[in-house]
Short mmCIF file of all heavy atoms in Angstrom, two decimals:
data_model
loop_
_atom_site.label_atom_id
_atom_site.label_comp_id
_atom_site.label_asym_id
_atom_site.label_seq_id
_atom_site.Cartn_x
_atom_site.Cartn_y
_atom_site.Cartn_z
N ALA A 1354 0.83 -1.21 0.00
CA ALA A 1354 0.00 0.00 0.00
C ALA A 1354 0.86 1.26 0.00
O ALA A 1354 0.55 2.24 -0.68
CB ALA A 1354 -0.93 -0.01 1.21
N GLN A 1355 1.94 1.23 0.75
CA GLN A 1355 2.82 2.39 0.86
C GLN A 1355 3.42 2.76 -0.50
O GLN A 1355 3.64 3.93 -0.80
CB GLN A 1355 3.94 2.11 1.87
CG GLN A 1355 4.83 3.29 2.17
CD GLN A 1355 4.11 4.40 2.92
OE1 GLN A 1355 3.20 4.13 3.71
NE2 GLN A 1355 4.50 5.65 2.70
N GLU A 1356 3.64 1.76 -1.34
CA GLU A 1356 4.31 1.98 -2.62
C GLU A 1356 3.35 1.93 -3.81
O GLU A 1356 3.80 2.11 -4.95
CB GLU A 1356 5.40 0.92 -2.81
CG GLU A 1356 6.44 0.90 -1.70
CD GLU A 1356 7.35 -0.32 -1.79
OE1 GLU A 1356 7.80 -0.62 -2.91
OE2 GLU A 1356 7.58 -0.97 -0.75
N GLY A 1357 2.07 1.70 -3.57
CA GLY A 1357 1.13 1.53 -4.67
C GLY A 1357 -0.05 2.46 -4.59
O GLY A 1357 0.03 3.56 -4.02
N ALA A 1358 -1.16 2.03 -5.17
CA ALA A 1358 -2.40 2.79 -5.16
C ALA A 1358 -3.36 2.14 -4.17
O ALA A 1358 -3.60 0.93 -4.22
CB ALA A 1358 -3.03 2.81 -6.55
N VAL A 1359 -3.89 2.94 -3.25
CA VAL A 1359 -4.82 2.45 -2.24
C VAL A 1359 -6.17 3.12 -2.48
O VAL A 1359 -6.26 4.36 -2.52
CB VAL A 1359 -4.33 2.76 -0.81
CG1 VAL A 1359 -5.32 2.23 0.21
CG2 VAL A 1359 -2.95 2.19 -0.59
N PHE A 1360 -7.20 2.32 -2.63
CA PHE A 1360 -8.54 2.84 -2.84
C PHE A 1360 -9.27 2.77 -1.50
O PHE A 1360 -9.62 1.69 -1.02
CB PHE A 1360 -9.24 2.06 -3.95
CG PHE A 1360 -8.54 2.25 -5.29
CD1 PHE A 1360 -7.50 1.41 -5.66
CD2 PHE A 1360 -8.88 3.31 -6.11
CE1 PHE A 1360 -6.83 1.61 -6.86
CE2 PHE A 1360 -8.22 3.51 -7.31
CZ PHE A 1360 -7.20 2.66 -7.69
N ASP A 1361 -9.45 3.94 -0.92
CA ASP A 1361 -9.97 4.01 0.45
C ASP A 1361 -11.46 3.69 0.54
O ASP A 1361 -11.94 3.32 1.62
CB ASP A 1361 -9.72 5.40 1.03
CG ASP A 1361 -8.27 5.60 1.46
OD1 ASP A 1361 -7.72 4.66 2.06
OD2 ASP A 1361 -7.70 6.67 1.18
N ARG A 1362 -12.18 3.85 -0.56
CA ARG A 1362 -13.62 3.57 -0.54
C ARG A 1362 -13.94 2.55 -1.62
O ARG A 1362 -14.58 2.85 -2.62
CB ARG A 1362 -14.42 4.85 -0.73
CG ARG A 1362 -14.22 5.88 0.38
CD ARG A 1362 -15.22 7.01 0.25
NE ARG A 1362 -16.59 6.53 0.43
CZ ARG A 1362 -17.67 7.23 0.06
NH1 ARG A 1362 -17.53 8.40 -0.56
NH2 ARG A 1362 -18.88 6.76 0.26
N ALA A 1363 -13.46 1.35 -1.41
CA ALA A 1363 -13.73 0.24 -2.32
C ALA A 1363 -14.78 -0.66 -1.70
O ALA A 1363 -14.74 -0.96 -0.51
CB ALA A 1363 -12.46 -0.54 -2.60
N TYR A 1364 -15.74 -1.09 -2.51
CA TYR A 1364 -16.85 -1.90 -2.04
C TYR A 1364 -16.98 -3.17 -2.88
O TYR A 1364 -16.63 -3.20 -4.07
CB TYR A 1364 -18.17 -1.12 -2.14
CG TYR A 1364 -18.24 0.07 -1.22
CD1 TYR A 1364 -17.79 1.32 -1.63
CD2 TYR A 1364 -18.77 -0.04 0.07
CE1 TYR A 1364 -17.85 2.42 -0.78
CE2 TYR A 1364 -18.83 1.05 0.91
CZ TYR A 1364 -18.37 2.29 0.49
OH TYR A 1364 -18.43 3.37 1.32
N CYS A 1365 -17.49 -4.23 -2.24
CA CYS A 1365 -17.95 -5.37 -3.02
C CYS A 1365 -19.30 -4.99 -3.62
O CYS A 1365 -19.95 -4.04 -3.17
CB CYS A 1365 -18.08 -6.61 -2.13
SG CYS A 1365 -19.27 -6.46 -0.77
N ASN A 1366 -19.75 -5.74 -4.61
CA ASN A 1366 -21.04 -5.45 -5.22
C ASN A 1366 -22.15 -6.32 -4.69
O ASN A 1366 -23.31 -6.16 -5.06
CB ASN A 1366 -20.94 -5.55 -6.74
CG ASN A 1366 -19.96 -4.51 -7.29
OD1 ASN A 1366 -18.83 -4.84 -7.62
ND2 ASN A 1366 -20.37 -3.26 -7.34
N THR A 1367 -21.78 -7.22 -3.82
CA THR A 1367 -22.72 -7.96 -2.99
C THR A 1367 -21.92 -8.60 -1.86
O THR A 1367 -20.85 -9.16 -2.11
CB THR A 1367 -23.51 -9.02 -3.78
OG1 THR A 1367 -24.50 -9.62 -2.93
CG2 THR A 1367 -22.61 -10.10 -4.33
N PRO A 1368 -22.37 -8.48 -0.61
CA PRO A 1368 -21.57 -9.00 0.50
C PRO A 1368 -21.78 -10.49 0.75
O PRO A 1368 -22.21 -10.91 1.82
CB PRO A 1368 -22.04 -8.13 1.68
CG PRO A 1368 -23.45 -7.80 1.34
CD PRO A 1368 -23.52 -7.68 -0.16
N LEU A 1369 -21.46 -11.30 -0.26
CA LEU A 1369 -21.57 -12.74 -0.16
C LEU A 1369 -20.62 -13.35 -1.18
O LEU A 1369 -20.46 -12.82 -2.29
CB LEU A 1369 -23.00 -13.20 -0.40
CG LEU A 1369 -23.32 -14.64 0.02
CD1 LEU A 1369 -23.24 -14.82 1.54
CD2 LEU A 1369 -24.69 -15.07 -0.50
N CYS A 1370 -20.04 -14.51 -0.83
CA CYS A 1370 -18.87 -15.04 -1.55
C CYS A 1370 -19.10 -15.26 -3.05
O CYS A 1370 -18.49 -14.61 -3.89
CB CYS A 1370 -18.44 -16.36 -0.92
SG CYS A 1370 -18.01 -16.22 0.83
N ALA A 1371 -19.94 -16.24 -3.43
CA ALA A 1371 -20.04 -16.66 -4.82
C ALA A 1371 -20.52 -15.54 -5.74
O ALA A 1371 -19.91 -15.29 -6.78
CB ALA A 1371 -20.93 -17.89 -4.94
N PRO A 1372 -21.61 -14.84 -5.41
CA PRO A 1372 -22.03 -13.76 -6.32
C PRO A 1372 -21.05 -12.61 -6.39
O PRO A 1372 -20.91 -11.98 -7.44
CB PRO A 1372 -23.39 -13.34 -5.75
CG PRO A 1372 -23.40 -13.80 -4.34
CD PRO A 1372 -22.57 -15.04 -4.31
N SER A 1373 -20.34 -12.32 -5.30
CA SER A 1373 -19.34 -11.25 -5.32
C SER A 1373 -18.22 -11.60 -6.29
O SER A 1373 -17.76 -10.76 -7.06
CB SER A 1373 -18.78 -11.03 -3.91
OG SER A 1373 -17.77 -10.03 -3.93
N ARG A 1374 -17.77 -12.84 -6.27
CA ARG A 1374 -16.66 -13.25 -7.12
C ARG A 1374 -17.07 -13.34 -8.59
O ARG A 1374 -16.30 -12.96 -9.48
CB ARG A 1374 -16.11 -14.59 -6.61
CG ARG A 1374 -15.44 -14.47 -5.25
CD ARG A 1374 -15.35 -15.81 -4.53
NE ARG A 1374 -14.78 -15.65 -3.21
CZ ARG A 1374 -13.48 -15.73 -2.93
NH1 ARG A 1374 -12.60 -15.95 -3.89
NH2 ARG A 1374 -13.04 -15.57 -1.70
N ALA A 1375 -18.28 -13.84 -8.85
CA ALA A 1375 -18.77 -13.89 -10.23
C ALA A 1375 -18.90 -12.48 -10.80
O ALA A 1375 -18.56 -12.21 -11.95
CB ALA A 1375 -20.11 -14.62 -10.29
N SER A 1376 -19.37 -11.56 -9.96
CA SER A 1376 -19.50 -10.17 -10.37
C SER A 1376 -18.13 -9.56 -10.65
O SER A 1376 -17.91 -8.90 -11.67
CB SER A 1376 -20.23 -9.39 -9.28
OG SER A 1376 -20.31 -8.02 -9.57
N MET A 1377 -17.20 -9.80 -9.77
CA MET A 1377 -15.84 -9.28 -9.92
C MET A 1377 -15.20 -9.79 -11.21
O MET A 1377 -14.56 -9.03 -11.94
CB MET A 1377 -15.00 -9.69 -8.72
CG MET A 1377 -13.53 -9.29 -8.80
SD MET A 1377 -12.51 -10.07 -7.52
CE MET A 1377 -12.39 -11.75 -8.15
N MET A 1378 -15.37 -11.07 -11.49
CA MET A 1378 -14.70 -11.66 -12.65
C MET A 1378 -15.31 -11.25 -13.98
O MET A 1378 -14.66 -11.29 -15.01
CB MET A 1378 -14.70 -13.19 -12.52
CG MET A 1378 -13.72 -13.68 -11.47
SD MET A 1378 -13.20 -15.38 -11.79
CE MET A 1378 -12.40 -15.23 -13.36
N THR A 1379 -16.58 -10.83 -13.97
CA THR A 1379 -17.25 -10.45 -15.21
C THR A 1379 -17.38 -8.95 -15.40
O THR A 1379 -17.70 -8.50 -16.50
CB THR A 1379 -18.66 -11.05 -15.26
OG1 THR A 1379 -19.42 -10.57 -14.14
CG2 THR A 1379 -18.61 -12.58 -15.23
N GLY A 1380 -17.16 -8.17 -14.33
CA GLY A 1380 -17.37 -6.73 -14.43
C GLY A 1380 -18.84 -6.37 -14.53
O GLY A 1380 -19.18 -5.25 -14.95
N GLN A 1381 -19.72 -7.27 -14.12
CA GLN A 1381 -21.17 -7.05 -14.18
C GLN A 1381 -21.78 -7.19 -12.79
O GLN A 1381 -21.23 -7.87 -11.92
CB GLN A 1381 -21.83 -8.07 -15.12
CG GLN A 1381 -21.24 -8.14 -16.51
CD GLN A 1381 -21.65 -6.97 -17.39
OE1 GLN A 1381 -22.36 -6.07 -16.94
NE2 GLN A 1381 -21.22 -6.98 -18.63
N MET A 1382 -22.94 -6.58 -12.59
CA MET A 1382 -23.63 -6.74 -11.32
C MET A 1382 -24.15 -8.17 -11.17
O MET A 1382 -24.46 -8.84 -12.17
CB MET A 1382 -24.79 -5.75 -11.23
CG MET A 1382 -24.34 -4.29 -11.17
SD MET A 1382 -23.27 -3.92 -9.74
CE MET A 1382 -24.41 -4.21 -8.37
N PRO A 1383 -24.25 -8.66 -9.94
CA PRO A 1383 -24.70 -10.05 -9.73
C PRO A 1383 -26.03 -10.36 -10.41
O PRO A 1383 -26.18 -11.44 -11.00
CB PRO A 1383 -24.81 -10.15 -8.21
CG PRO A 1383 -23.83 -9.15 -7.70
CD PRO A 1383 -23.87 -8.01 -8.66
N SER A 1384 -26.99 -9.44 -10.37
CA SER A 1384 -28.29 -9.71 -10.98
C SER A 1384 -28.19 -9.80 -12.49
O SER A 1384 -28.99 -10.48 -13.14
CB SER A 1384 -29.30 -8.62 -10.59
OG SER A 1384 -28.88 -7.34 -11.04
N ASP A 1385 -27.20 -9.12 -13.09
CA ASP A 1385 -27.01 -9.21 -14.54
C ASP A 1385 -26.38 -10.53 -14.95
O ASP A 1385 -26.55 -10.99 -16.08
CB ASP A 1385 -26.15 -8.04 -15.03
CG ASP A 1385 -26.85 -6.70 -14.90
OD1 ASP A 1385 -28.08 -6.66 -15.06
OD2 ASP A 1385 -26.17 -5.70 -14.61
N VAL A 1386 -25.63 -11.13 -14.03
CA VAL A 1386 -25.00 -12.42 -14.30
C VAL A 1386 -25.95 -13.56 -13.94
O VAL A 1386 -25.80 -14.69 -14.40
CB VAL A 1386 -23.68 -12.56 -13.51
CG1 VAL A 1386 -22.96 -13.86 -13.82
CG2 VAL A 1386 -22.76 -11.38 -13.81
N GLY A 1387 -26.96 -13.27 -13.11
CA GLY A 1387 -27.86 -14.30 -12.61
C GLY A 1387 -27.31 -15.03 -11.42
O GLY A 1387 -27.84 -16.07 -11.01
N CYS A 1388 -26.25 -14.51 -10.81
CA CYS A 1388 -25.65 -15.11 -9.61
C CYS A 1388 -26.19 -14.37 -8.39
O CYS A 1388 -25.58 -13.39 -7.94
CB CYS A 1388 -24.13 -15.05 -9.68
SG CYS A 1388 -23.42 -16.14 -10.91
N TYR A 1389 -27.30 -14.82 -7.90
CA TYR A 1389 -27.97 -14.12 -6.81
C TYR A 1389 -27.41 -14.48 -5.44
O TYR A 1389 -27.50 -13.68 -4.50
CB TYR A 1389 -29.46 -14.45 -6.83
CG TYR A 1389 -30.16 -14.17 -8.14
CD1 TYR A 1389 -30.87 -15.16 -8.79
CD2 TYR A 1389 -30.12 -12.90 -8.71
CE1 TYR A 1389 -31.53 -14.92 -9.99
CE2 TYR A 1389 -30.78 -12.64 -9.91
CZ TYR A 1389 -31.47 -13.65 -10.54
OH TYR A 1389 -32.12 -13.41 -11.73
N ASP A 1390 -26.88 -15.70 -5.30
CA ASP A 1390 -26.53 -16.20 -3.97
C ASP A 1390 -25.50 -17.30 -4.12
O ASP A 1390 -24.99 -17.56 -5.21
CB ASP A 1390 -27.79 -16.71 -3.26
CG ASP A 1390 -28.60 -17.67 -4.15
OD1 ASP A 1390 -28.05 -18.72 -4.53
OD2 ASP A 1390 -29.76 -17.37 -4.46
N ASN A 1391 -25.20 -17.99 -3.02
CA ASN A 1391 -24.17 -19.03 -3.02
C ASN A 1391 -24.64 -20.35 -3.61
O ASN A 1391 -23.89 -21.32 -3.62
CB ASN A 1391 -23.65 -19.27 -1.61
CG ASN A 1391 -22.63 -18.23 -1.18
OD1 ASN A 1391 -22.11 -17.48 -2.01
ND2 ASN A 1391 -22.33 -18.18 0.11
#
């Protein structure tokens, strides 16, 4: 962090494991991917 870029207000797009990761990997919201839950 000291040598890089720190994003102080970074959020997940859903606070749950599987839909958060599917959303992260696709750049889409969970509801757009159809990944609602675990």
Side-chain angles (χ1 to χ4, degrees):
Q1355 186 68 32
E1356 303 170 44
V1359 181
F1360 295 89
D1361 284 318
R1362 297 190 64 196
Y1364 294 89
C1365 62
N1366 297 102
T1367 185
L1369 195 67
C1370 301
S1373 178
R1374 293 160 183 269
S1376 176
M1377 176 191 75
M1378 286 204 62
T1379 60
Q1381 306 284 3
M1382 294 300 295
S1384 62
D1385 292 326
V1386 183
C1388 290
Y1389 305 125
D1390 50 61
N1391 279 346

